[in-house]
Amino acid sequence: VELCKTHGISLIIIHPTYRDSKRHTCLLTRFCQDHGVPMYEAYDALHPPELAHDALYRDSWHPNAIGHWRLAKGLMEFIVDELFGQIIDPNTSLK
């Protein structure tokens, strides 16, 4: 945290999730809370209620291509929201 602050870098931590994960708190989530570090919760992207728990994984640990796409999209929206306070419509040109 201090190294990032010293260099003007915004730190965002991704809270990982795996195929058989449950939503939880841990050392990482407490660290983010204690230090005011934004945390992207990957569980939401990889465990949507409308899909089977293993639909976005190629094995116990690794997301498949659609899982990676959902992670990237969710992380992009989170970063924009955290850094700029708004969600950019993906259909909007960024020119």
Side-chain angles (χ1 to χ4, degrees), residues 7-70:
H7 293 284
I9 297 169
S10 297
L11 175 63
I12 294 175
I13 292 181
I14 299 173
H15 189 219
T17 190
Y18 307 104
R19 185 186 68 198
D20 298 321
S21 292
K22 303 270 187 268
R23 184 179 294 282
H24 68 281
T25 59
C26 61
L27 179 63
L28 188 59
T29 56
R30 288 188 297 275
F31 173 84
C32 290
Q33 291 169 352
D34 292 347
H35 296 281
V37 174
M39 184 188 78
Y40 174 68
E41 179 56 72
Y43 186 91
D44 299 330
L46 293 174
H47 293 278
E50 70 274 10
L51 296 178
H53 81 283
D54 61 346
L56 299 173
Y57 288 87
R58 65 180 183 94
D59 58 28
S60 294
W61 306 99
H62 303 96
N64 60 26
I66 297 170
H68 278 287
W69 180 86
R70 288 179 59 91

Side-chain angles (χ1 to χ4, degrees), residues 60-93:
S60 294
W61 306 99
H62 303 96
N64 60 26
I66 297 170
H68 278 287
W69 180 86
R70 288 179 59 91
L71 276 174
K73 181 179 183 297
L75 182 58
M76 183 269 311
E77 290 170 352
F78 181 83
I79 289 170
V80 169
D81 191 42
E82 282 296 316
L83 298 181
F84 304 108
Q86 61 184 345
I87 299 295
I88 293 176
D89 181 347
N91 299 315
T92 301
S93 173

